[in-house]
Amino acid sequence: MDTAAGPSLYPLHHSKTIHLVRHAQGVHNVEGEKDHDAYLSYDYFDANLTPLGWKQVENLQKHVKANELPRKIELVVVSPLLRTMQTAVGVFGGEAYPDGISEPPLMVENVGHSDHHAVSSLNCPPFLAVELCREQMGLHPCDKRRTVSEYRHMFPGIDFSLIETDEDTWWKPEREKKEEVTGRGLKFLEWLCTRKEKEIAVVTHSSFLFNTLSAFGNDCHPNIKTEMCKHFANCELRSMVIVDKGMIGSTNNSTTNYPGKIPHGLDLPSDATD
C-alpha cells in the first residue's frame, strides 16, 4: 500500500503544538508601505506598535481566549524586539494590572509611548525572549534591538536570561541572506524540540516565518504547502504541529501511553504464532 500521499502517523510524545504569531502593525509597516526606503531610516529603530496594531492585539487576544488557548499554552517564546514583545504580552498576558499586587508586570505602562496600561503577569504562562526567532537582520534599523537592560525595565515579567549580550551583536549593516534566515529558523525549531513544554506560542516576524516555513511541506499536497508557507498578515496566528523525527528531544516521555498487560509476559496475537 502506497502511503506517501496519505496520512502520516507519529507518536504523540514526539510532537508539539506551536502557535505561530506575527507581530501586530508597527510604525515601520505603515511608512514602508508608502515608501520602501523608509525601512532604511533610523526614525523606525526597533519599531513600536501603532494604535491600529494595538487594536489588532486586542482582537487576537479575544480570539485566543475564546479558544481557551491561554489555559493550554505552557510557554510564550518571543523575539526580543519592541513590537513582538508588545504583541506577545498584549495577546497572552493578563488584564490591566490590578492595584495592590506586588508581582512585577509583564509590561509597564506606556511602553513605546503607547499610552497602553501595564499588563499583569498573573495567571499567565512564562515568557521567554529568544534571539534565534528574530526578524531577518541587517540594513533595516527597525530590526535592530535595544539593550537588554532597557528591555528589562520595560518588560519586567519577560525572561531575558538566554540572551548572551546586553548590546545587539547580531544585527549587521549587511542584510542577512534568506538562506541564512532559513538555517536560523531550522535551528530554532530544533531548540523548540528540546523544550519540555508540549504547547508553545511563538511571537515573531514575517520574513523569519516565511523563510523558515518554506523549508517544509514539499512532501504534502500543494494546497497544504501553500497554506503553511504563505506570508503572515500582521497579528495573524497559525497553529501547527512540529514532529521530532530525529528524536532531538528524546527525553520527552509519553504521559498518555500505557504498557498494557500486567504482569508482562508472552501474549501474542494468534497470527503471530503461525
Side-chain angles (χ1 to χ4, degrees), residues 47-260:
N48 56 278
L49 297 187
T50 66
L52 176 59
W54 278 111
K55 182 63 179 176
Q56 293 169 343
V57 167
E58 181 183 340
N59 290 339
L60 181 54
Q61 182 193 48
K62 291 176 181 177
H63 171 78
V64 301
K65 284 186 173 181
N67 285 274
E68 299 185 343
L69 289 186
R71 181 177 60 82
K72 302 173 185 176
I73 290 171
E74 302 167 74
L75 177 69
V76 178
V77 175
V78 59
S79 162
L81 287 171
L82 186 56
R83 59 191 182 271
T84 37
M85 292 188 288
Q86 287 178 314
T87 301
V89 302
V91 172
F92 298 106
E95 303 292 341
Y97 201 66
D99 293 332
I101 300 296
S102 59
E103 292 187 32
L106 281 173
M107 182 182 78
V108 300
E109 64 181 358
N110 197 35
V111 164
H113 306 291
S114 61
D115 293 325
H116 196 279
H117 56 71
V119 177
S120 168
S121 60
L122 299 176
N123 302 316
C124 293
F127 284 66
L128 181 62
V130 177
E131 297 230 72
L132 274 174
C133 64
R134 283 177 60 174
E135 181 58 302
Q136 183 176 5
M137 285 178 283
L139 192 61
H140 298 166
C142 57
D143 301 324
K144 182 175 174 59
R145 70 164 171 84
R146 301 165 200 254
T147 65
V148 172
S149 300
E150 291 178 88
Y151 286 146
R152 283 197 171 112
H153 175 73
M154 298 175 180
F155 300 94
I158 294 181
D159 181 354
F160 295 95
S161 62
L162 293 185
I163 299 180
E164 297 179 349
T165 59
D166 191 44
E167 298 284 344
D168 185 359
T169 59
W170 287 45
W171 189 92
K172 307 293 182 184
E174 301 80 21
R175 191 69 166 159
E176 187 178 19
K177 294 181 174 62
K178 292 181 179 180
E179 54 269 26
E180 293 174 329
V181 181
T182 302
R184 180 160 55 85
L186 295 178
K187 287 182 181 178
F188 173 72
L189 294 179
E190 288 181 357
W191 173 80
L192 281 183
C193 286
T194 68
R195 298 290 307 185
K196 67 180 187 300
E197 298 87 0
K198 301 296 291 181
E199 194 148 350
I200 301 173
V202 178
V203 184
T204 179
H205 306 267
S206 174
S207 183
F208 175 81
L209 286 165
F210 179 78
N211 286 292
T212 300
L213 296 178
S214 292
F216 296 93
N218 295 320
D219 56 346
C220 300
H221 189 283
N223 288 354
I224 293 179
K225 171 77 173 179
T226 299
E227 179 183 346
M228 287 175 56
C229 301
K230 65 182 179 180
H231 283 284
F232 276 62
N234 282 125
C235 224
E236 180 177 356
L237 179 152
R238 293 183 209 161
S239 299
M240 299 188 184
V241 174
I242 179 172
V243 175
D244 182 12
K245 295 181 180 180
M247 294 188 68
I248 299 167
S250 58
T251 56
N252 290 338
N253 296 317
S254 173
T255 58
T256 56
N257 286 1
Y258 181 72

